[in-house]
Amino acid sequence: MVTRNASSTDPIRVLFLAAEADPFVKVGGLGDVAGSLPPALQNLLPEDSGGRKIEIRLVIPFHGVIDQRAFTMVPVSTYPVQTDEGSLLATVYYSEIRGVPVYLIGGDPITQAPGVYSFDAREDGAKFAFFSIAALELARKLNWHPDIIHANDWHTALSVYMLSLIRAKDKFFQKTRSVLTVHNLPFMGAGAESSLHVFRIPPSTDERLPEWARQLPLPLGLLAADEIVAVSPTYAQEILTPEFGCGLQEFLQSRQASLTGILNGVDMQAWDPVREQNGVMNYSVENLDLRQVNKSALQNRFSMLEDPTVPLLAFIGRMDPQKGVDLILQSLQQLSELAWQAIILGTGVPGLEADARQLEIDFPDRVRSVIRFDGRLSHQLYAGADVLMMPSRYEPCGLAQMIAMRYGCIPVARATGGLRDTIRDFFITPDSTGFLFQPASADALTNTLRSAVYTYPNQVAWRGLQTRSMQQDFGWQRSAAAYARLYLNLIRA
Ligand code: ADP
């Protein structure tokens, strides 16, 4: 007689921690990921996750900017978090995203901070150290034993580190394994050092870590995680090199056996040219002509010449040197002799914002710089612009290029990280979906943008690019299944 091993069919319990999650709060791609990967994991068919369902709970900070009235929230728990200066109360609310339980943790270090991320690194250090400890404690309060703690980026990396310190002596977490996904290696949590002390988190003495990194949240998490995931296969390789490793390359090489690359997916419902609202004329590969309506609407709204023959170039993203915004501003100057229009949507580094505004002054009839976060306009741009410019200096995964391709907005991007993994280059393959270039220079971007602008009037070539890019599957299914396999291997090990 075969005896049934109960644990082999039990759901895999995952506590998923992130600093932001759409639709509660989103600043960048991490918000997209934390809002869409957990539902994708929960909805995986058992055959895609080794025969076991995934039961996932998402935990995010209850940032002051979250609009409480827009969501149903129920208070569930209040408990103290110990610090060196006495205890601080964590107050937890319950809500849901598409059937996934969501816990929002509040408390002084979180609710008193402005915005999601602060310019004051120490303030962020306290906020996320408190959150990381409180999130671990929450599992205990709920008496919900996680098989996996899945943290993301430096903000939640300390939960992984603390787990590794307490696991040996703490029955509750004895079987819990950890995954840390790196969305952006350079952000390691500098400024959090004093908070480690306050929240009684001992620095590491492990000599594999460079000395400067032994008190920083992300390196501590990378040291302690049972598995490390980078958000694209190319980025997983790049971070092992001096160019992208931010001084951790040798340490990361020592952890290479536990490092994989899994591409982020796109929320195919939220980003759907066929069905979405947001003031967009819906279209598909079958009736791509309708896309022109969206382009005209943009030209009209921004008082630019309503001419379908002029390619409309867009930038949508954080105004950060990482994104190569400065390269775009220089390139557009260099391309002044060609006919194009550009809309730049983003916020971030004040100097880059000012430069973008200046470009609009320099090209009053064909550049618009929209310096704000505007989700609705981003949809309209993906659905109406012809080209998305994404010359990132480094790009762990990048969502904007995948969203753009889903809308037939052709990316002109640098061949790095996830951009390299998701875009097939016009110059290399007849099966292309965009334009890639190598050097992080304005000249290289200028040449490639010029090629795109020259190709644009060629209806057959451009339609081909659009059709192929729109037919790609950037959904979460494949990546969620890869995460599920990772979880399963960890808990079986
Ligand atoms: P990152 O995570 O590095 O910021 P990604 O390309 O992975 O970059 O994700 C950026 C996400 O944020 C995309 O969904 C993009 O459309 C959105 N986004 C960035 N800046 C803005 C903005 N100013 N207004 C609206 N959406 C924005």
Side-chain angles (χ1 to χ4, degrees):
M1 198 177 93
V2 181
T3 46
R4 184 174 157 270
N5 178 357
S7 67
S8 69
T9 53
D10 286 349
I12 305 173
R13 292 174 155 191
V14 181
L15 196 68
F16 192 98
L17 315 181
E20 49 176 298
D22 195 44
F24 293 97
V25 58
K26 166 178 150 178
V27 175
L30 177 60
D32 287 298
V33 171
S36 51
L37 173 58
L41 281 162
Q42 178 143 297
N43 294 332
L44 273 181
L45 298 172
E47 54 264 37
D48 289 325
S49 50
R52 297 183 53 176
K53 283 290 286 177
I54 292 187
E55 192 181 312
I56 192 156
R57 298 188 177 189
L58 170 65
V59 191
I60 59 172
F62 202 154
H63 301 286
V65 290
I66 293 178
D67 181 2
Q68 300 195 30
R69 290 158 308 172
F71 306 95
T72 309
M73 296 198 190
V74 186
V76 282
S77 188
T78 302
Y79 51 90
V81 171
Q82 298 310 324
T83 79
D84 236 29
E85 300 142 11
S87 62
L88 280 172
L89 269 193
T91 311
V92 185
Y93 285 77
Y94 175 89
S95 190
E96 285 184 9
I97 303 181
R98 288 188 235 151
V100 172
V102 182
Y103 294 87
L104 298 105
I105 299 182
D108 282 355
I110 294 173
T111 22
Q112 285 179 4
V116 178
Y117 308 111
S118 154
F119 282 111
D120 179 345
R122 283 198 321 192
E123 200 168 62
D124 268 2
K127 179 180 202 171
F128 292 113
F130 172 78
F131 176 73
S132 299
I133 307 279
L136 276 184
E137 204 46 41
L138 176 65
R140 209 193 297 274
K141 289 286 171 253
L142 299 172
N143 197 21
W144 191 78
H145 290 256
D147 295 300
I148 303 285
I149 302 263
H150 186 162
N152 292 275
D153 275 350
W154 80 263
H155 323 103
T156 50
L158 287 173
S159 59
V160 168
Y161 178 59
M162 280 310 283
L163 174 73
S164 76
L165 297 184
I166 61 177
R167 189 158 63 179
K169 290 176 258 137
D170 187 331
K171 266 204 145 109
F172 188 86
F173 286 113
Q174 219 162 38
K175 292 191 175 149
T176 305
R177 297 290 166 263
S178 62
V179 175
L180 176 58
T181 298
V182 184
H183 301 259
N184 208 331
L185 185 66
F187 293 86
M188 297 192 193
E193 297 87 336
S194 53
S195 300
L196 259 62
H197 179 72
V198 172
F199 288 96
R200 301 175 172 175
I201 304 169
S204 171
T205 51
D206 194 310
E207 294 195 345
R208 282 176 299 166
L209 270 184
E211 210 169 335
W212 56 263
R214 292 181 200 159
Q215 294 194 60
L216 292 179
L218 184 63
L220 292 173
L222 293 170
L223 177 71
D226 293 309
E227 274 295 328
I228 301 169
V229 177
V231 286
S232 65
T234 294
Y235 196 55
Q237 292 303 312
E238 285 175 341
I239 59 178
L240 302 175
T241 66
E243 189 185 350
F244 298 94
C246 307
L248 291 184
Q249 57 276 8
E250 281 172 26
F251 159 71
L252 286 167
Q253 285 163 21
S254 77
R255 296 239 45 205
Q256 206 172 349
S258 306
L259 168 66
T260 41
I262 300 179
L263 270 177
N264 287 332
V266 168
D267 183 335
M268 302 292 263
Q269 281 170 21
W271 299 103
D272 182 358
V274 178
R275 270 177 215 94
E276 76 144 272
Q277 289 159 0
N278 293 302
V280 163
M281 165 63 81
N282 293 128
Y283 60 94
S284 69
V285 254
E286 266 78 53
N287 53 15
L288 256 171
D289 284 340
L290 288 176
R291 207 175 178 279
Q292 179 53 42
V293 176
N294 295 321
K295 177 169 170 180
S296 295
L298 285 166
Q299 290 169 320
N300 186 354
R301 168 173 168 190
F302 288 103
S303 311
M304 297 192 291
L305 188 67
E306 249 182 270
D307 183 346
T309 67
V310 178
L312 176 58
L313 319 176
F315 169 81
I316 305 166
R318 288 180 292 116
M319 293 246 171
D320 189 280
Q322 177 201 342
K323 299 286 173 186
V325 194
D326 51 322
L327 304 181
I328 292 177
L329 303 179
Q330 287 174 53
S331 280
L332 292 180
Q333 294 278 6
Q334 290 176 5
L335 288 170
S336 59
E337 85 286 0
L338 294 186
W340 48 261
Q341 296 168 335
I343 300 177
I344 293 166
L345 171 64
T347 57
V349 175
L352 289 171
E353 292 181 351
D355 291 348
R357 285 201 185 92
Q358 183 59 46
L359 194 77
E360 176 172 330
I361 294 170
D362 295 343
F363 294 95
D365 51 347
R366 53 181 171 144
V367 172
R368 294 294 174 267
S369 294
V370 186
I371 309 297
R372 61 170 185 264
F373 192 95
D374 189 335
R376 190 174 160 87
L377 176 58
S378 76
H379 280 257
Q380 294 166 356
L381 283 170
Y382 290 121
D386 300 300
V387 166
L388 180 83
M389 300 177 283
M390 207 160 164
S392 306
R393 291 195 161 81
Y394 71 96
E395 193 57 77
C397 176
L399 289 176
Q401 84 281 11
M402 290 194 266
I403 299 171
M405 284 187 272
R406 180 153 166 74
Y407 281 78
C409 175
I410 301 306
V412 169
R414 201 170 155 244
T416 183
L419 295 169
R420 208 187 106 181
D421 291 336
T422 54
I423 300 168
R424 298 195 297 263
D425 186 9
F426 184 77
F427 301 111
I428 291 184
T429 169
D431 204 20
S432 60
T433 55
F435 295 80
L436 289 174
F437 62 95
Q438 297 283 344
S441 71
D443 287 347
L445 172 61
T446 301
N447 287 337
T448 315
L449 272 177
R450 185 177 283 118
S451 302
V453 170
Y454 284 155
T455 308
Y456 179 70
N458 179 338
Q459 278 288 313
V460 176
W462 202 262
R463 275 291 156 98
L465 277 163
Q466 288 182 303
T467 308
R468 288 187 297 273
S469 65
M470 289 175 74
Q471 282 169 340
Q472 289 191 86
D473 178 7
F474 289 122
W476 268 109
Q477 178 73 18
R478 204 175 317 134
S479 303
Y483 273 110
R485 277 195 300 279
L486 195 77
Y487 297 157
L488 207 56
N489 289 340
L490 269 180
I491 57 181
R492 278 184 182 149

